[in-house]
Amino acid sequence: MPEVRDEEDEAQQVFFQKGTDVGILARELFPCGVDASPIDSFHYQQSVADTARYISEGRTIIYEAAFQFEGLLCALDILVKKGDKWYGFEVKNATKLKDPYIKDVAFQYYVITNAGLPLEDISLTLLDTKYIRKGPLKIQKLFKFESILTYISPMQEEIALEAIALKKMLKSKAMADIAMGTQCSKPYTCDFYDFCSKGIEMEEPDYEEPHINKTAINDFLAEIE
C-alpha cells in the first residue's frame, strides 16, 4: 500500500542526499566508469538491462550496477573488473562497519552471484578518520576498503530463506500481524511507522519519583547560612 507510506521529512532527505554525494565522490577511486543508474526508482529494469549490456561490451567499471534474481533486485555502487575477476564496492557515509551494512551487502552478494556474475571479493568503502585534509582533497586517502566476504558468505543460506518468506508475505493480501517494537525504528525508522502507530497511545517512560534526601539538603543549607 504505497499510498500510506510516510512522506520523507527534511532530515531524511538531507541524510539520503549526503549518502548519495559520498557515493558519487567515491567514483573518483575508479574513474572513467559507465553509469547504469536508472532515471528514477520505477526504471530499474532498464538499469538491469544496461548493466548486462555493459558487461557484454567489455566495460570494466560500472557505477550503480543493477542485478535481478528470482524477483529480487539490487544495485551496487561500484563494480570493477580486474583481469578476469569482478570486485564489488558498496559505499557508505560512515567510518566503521555496522550490522545493517553487512546485511545489505550480504543481500547484494546473493543477488549478484545467483544472477550469474561471480565476485572475487566485495567490500564496504568507508570514510577514513585517519585522513586529515591539508590542501587539495586526496580521494585515495579519504576512503578505506573493508572486505566483508568472510562475514557474508555464511549468511547466504539465511538470505535465501528470508527471500522466500518475504515473497510469500508480499503475495498475501492480509496485513502482517506483528506488534510494533524496536524493529520499527532500528536501525532505521520504517516508512510506514505513522500508519502502523496511528491510534496507539505511546506510553511515557516511568522514571519513578526521584529520591530526595531532605536531611542532606537541610544540612547543606545550614552550612552556607
Side-chain angles (χ1 to χ4, degrees):
M1 296 185 295
E3 66 274 8
V4 299
R5 186 175 185 173
D6 299 344
E7 293 184 7
E8 285 184 10
D9 58 27
E10 187 175 349
Q12 286 177 312
Q13 292 173 358
V14 171
F15 176 80
F16 292 139
Q17 187 59 51
K18 284 183 177 180
T20 300
D21 293 344
V22 170
I24 293 175
L25 184 63
R27 293 179 183 181
E28 296 183 30
L29 294 166
F30 304 97
C32 303
V34 61
D35 191 355
S37 300
I39 57 174
D40 56 40
S41 59
F42 299 101
H43 289 80
Y44 264 105
Q45 291 301 321
Q46 183 61 52
S47 186
V48 171
D50 288 343
T51 298
R53 176 167 56 84
Y54 293 146
I55 291 174
S56 66
E57 290 174 352
R59 304 288 187 128
T60 58
I61 301 174
I62 305 173
Y63 309 134
E64 291 297 323
F67 296 86
Q68 189 171 25
F69 172 69
E70 294 186 348
L72 304 176
L73 176 72
C74 80
L76 183 70
D77 285 323
I78 306 173
L79 181 67
V80 178
K81 189 175 186 181
K82 300 177 182 179
D84 60 349
K85 300 183 185 300
W86 287 98
Y87 297 80
F89 300 90
E90 182 66 10
V91 184
K92 297 295 183 183
N93 181 25
T95 59
K96 59 183 179 181
L97 293 178
K98 295 181 181 179
D99 285 343
Y101 302 159
I102 295 174
K103 291 179 180 178
D104 284 348
V105 177
F107 175 78
Q108 291 173 317
Y109 184 84
Y110 176 82
V111 175
I112 294 170
T113 54
N114 281 285
L117 186 75
L119 291 177
E120 181 69 14
D121 197 5
I122 190 165
S123 303
L124 276 169
T125 305
L126 306 170
L127 297 170
D128 194 341
T129 56
K130 295 180 181 178
Y131 172 57
I132 299 176
R133 180 176 179 178
K134 295 180 180 179
L137 181 64
K138 297 180 179 179
I139 298 298
Q140 297 293 338
K141 292 187 176 182
L142 176 63
F143 292 98
K144 61 181 179 180
F145 302 111
E146 293 277 358
S147 172
I148 59 171
L149 187 59
T150 56
Y151 290 95
I152 66 174
S153 293
M155 300 171 63
Q156 295 305 290
E157 185 176 350
E158 177 186 352
I159 295 292
L161 293 175
E162 287 185 357
I164 293 172
L166 289 172
K167 284 190 284 188
K168 183 178 179 180
M169 180 191 70
L170 288 173
K171 289 181 180 179
S172 173
K173 295 182 180 181
M175 186 178 299
D177 186 17
I178 301 174
M180 292 191 68
T182 55
Q183 77 277 3
C184 300
S185 57
K186 293 182 180 180
Y188 310 109
T189 300
C190 175
D191 288 350
F192 297 89
Y193 186 90
D194 288 348
F195 173 78
C196 293
S197 61
K198 190 177 296 182
I200 298 178
E201 186 175 346
M202 307 304 288
E203 294 183 1
E204 292 292 333
D206 183 9
Y207 298 112
E208 300 183 347
E209 184 177 348
H211 174 69
I212 300 176
N213 190 330
K214 295 182 179 180
T215 302
I217 294 174
N218 290 332
D219 291 344
F220 174 75
L221 292 174
E223 289 178 4
I224 63 175
E225 286 180 351

